[in-house]
Amino acid sequence: IFSIFCFSLWGIQLVFTADKTVKDLKIPKKQFVIYVLEWCSTNLGKLKFDYNLEIKYHKDKVYGGIYIPYSRTIRIFVHNELPIIDLTENIIHEYVHYLQNNKKGTDVEYNKHLHELGYWNNPFEIEARKLSAKYKDQCYRYVTNSYRII
């Protein structure tokens, strides 16, 4: 059972819905991704070099997103059944990887950890999961309330 949470803060009504999916967006999917990335840039920081954005409009069997360091590409997989809160978390997760890739050799270090420790124990993945889990609700609330998208 999904629930709806609603409360008022300084006269502004905030609504949280756990059952809203990408198909419920009232704006293009790409625009939602851009709004979340703008939130990330403002709240998590940015690097002196920019990233490229690639959106794939299908479900990937394994990933919600991928960061490709050699091309500085954030690739996000978006499909209609994906909960918007999960999409938000995926975008933040990949943005954290972009921020982690701030010096030469980071991708080599990432791959070394991946080989030695595996995906789940890789410190880069642990940090990305931790930060995306920490900020997903705040970002989701900001984007959905600021732009009235659902």
Side-chain angles (χ1 to χ4, degrees):
I1 294 177
F2 295 107
S3 57
I4 297 176
F5 302 96
C6 180
F7 65 93
S8 182
L9 179 68
W10 298 295
I12 300 171
Q13 188 176 29
L14 303 174
V15 178
F16 307 103
T17 57
D19 62 336
K20 294 294 183 181
T21 63
V22 168
K23 71 178 174 237
D24 296 313
L25 288 172
K26 294 179 181 175
I27 61 171
K29 297 169 185 108
K30 181 177 182 177
Q31 189 60 55
F32 178 80
V33 173
I34 289 169
Y35 286 151
V36 172
L37 288 168
E38 287 172 353
W39 181 94
C40 289
S41 178
T42 299
N43 294 278
L44 303 179
K46 55 187 169 183
L47 302 177
K48 59 184 169 190
F49 54 83
D50 215 353
Y51 56 84
N52 298 301
L53 176 60
E54 220 177 78
I55 301 174
K56 300 293 184 182
Y57 297 98
H58 60 83
K59 183 177 183 176
D60 185 84
K61 292 180 182 179
V62 179
Y63 303 106
I66 300 170
Y67 181 70
I68 305 163
Y70 64 85
S71 63
R72 297 185 181 129
T73 300
I74 295 174
R75 180 181 295 158
I76 303 296
F77 295 97
V78 181
H79 59 91
N80 282 339
E81 290 73 35
L82 182 65
I84 298 170
I85 191 73
D86 292 351
L87 175 58
T88 304
E89 187 170 13
N90 293 344
I91 297 165
I92 296 169
H93 182 104
E94 299 312 325
Y95 190 85
V96 170
H97 285 316
Y98 153 75
L99 292 175
Q100 292 169 334
N101 200 43
N102 62 358
K103 61 184 182 213
K104 190 173 179 139
T106 304
D107 56 334
V108 173
E109 187 179 355
Y110 176 94
N111 287 328
K112 178 182 176 212
H113 290 310
L114 185 63
H115 178 72
E116 293 174 356
L117 304 170
Y119 176 83
W120 289 101
N121 295 317
N122 185 328
F124 290 96
E125 292 299 336
I126 291 169
E127 179 184 36
R129 284 193 304 271
K130 179 180 175 184
L131 291 175
S132 61
K134 178 179 179 180
Y135 291 114
K136 70 179 178 181
D137 292 333
Q138 180 183 349
C139 178
Y140 176 86
R141 283 192 304 268
Y142 175 81
V143 171
T144 56
N145 286 310
S146 295
Y147 302 105
R148 305 282 184 217
I149 59 172
I150 54 173

